[in-house]
Amino acid sequence: MDKELQSIIKDLQTVINGEPWFGRAVYELLEEIDPAHVADHPGNSGHSLLELLYHMITWTEFTVKRLEESKDMNAAETEKLDWRTINPAIHTWKKGVAAFRTANDQIIELLGKKNDSLLDEKVDYRTYDFRTLLHG
């Protein structure tokens, strides 16, 4: 594995489960949230925490599929899941956090098998390259 990918992996690990420069790690914050309030909409107009979590899952899983070079979860399928209708009985906080962790673990594992040349490759179904996707 090359230096730029090593740096991206390190940055991802720091943000989700380390000591990021901006404060506390994402996983630490997600674990503190009271599941009783995750479906609440702030001011009755914004996205709920549950909607935001499943939005993040959608794009994290999209990234996994692109790294796997899978034809599953193409652009149209991804767009359908983005800001999906959330059913709190199905889309629970606990399941969502677990899915988000799993997808991030998969990204780290897949990146560990790649080299820096990946970063200049165009992402399927998009106009940008993997460098842009992974830094996003």
Side-chain angles (χ1 to χ4, degrees):
M1 181 181 21
D2 298 327
K3 288 184 179 184
E4 191 171 357
L5 271 179
Q6 287 175 353
S7 178
I8 290 169
I9 290 169
K10 183 178 178 258
D11 288 347
L12 178 58
Q13 290 170 324
T14 298
V15 166
I16 61 177
N17 204 32
E19 294 183 22
W21 65 267
F22 54 80
R24 296 179 24 235
V26 172
Y27 291 163
E28 181 182 346
L29 294 169
L30 292 177
E31 293 299 332
E32 289 181 7
I33 293 173
D34 181 354
H37 299 288
V38 296
D40 297 348
H41 290 265
N44 294 322
S45 63
H47 290 290
S48 70
L49 291 174
L50 200 53
E51 290 168 332
L52 291 168
L53 176 61
Y54 278 86
H55 169 75
M56 293 188 311
I57 292 166
T58 297
W59 293 106
T60 307
E61 289 176 346
F62 174 82
T63 303
V64 169
K65 294 299 183 186
R66 300 295 57 83
L67 289 169
E68 292 176 333
E69 300 178 20
S70 172
K71 296 305 174 196
D72 294 342
M73 202 168 182
N74 63 32
E77 291 166 353
T78 302
E79 296 296 335
K80 282 185 206 175
L81 291 174
D82 196 24
W83 303 118
R84 67 188 93 178
T85 301
I86 298 293
N87 177 343
I90 297 169
H91 304 100
T92 69
W93 186 255
K94 185 176 180 178
K95 285 182 192 175
V97 170
F100 186 63
R101 283 180 177 268
T102 296
N104 278 292
D105 289 347
Q106 290 174 310
I107 289 172
I108 291 166
E109 180 183 340
L110 289 163
L111 289 176
K113 299 174 185 175
K114 306 284 185 180
N115 60 51
D116 282 357
S117 64
L118 166 78
L119 299 172
D120 294 320
E121 293 177 23
K122 184 178 167 283
V123 175
D124 288 343
Y125 311 111
R126 294 294 186 237
T127 59
Y128 47 79
D129 59 26
F130 276 94
R131 181 175 285 105
T132 300
L133 176 66
L134 293 169
H135 283 289

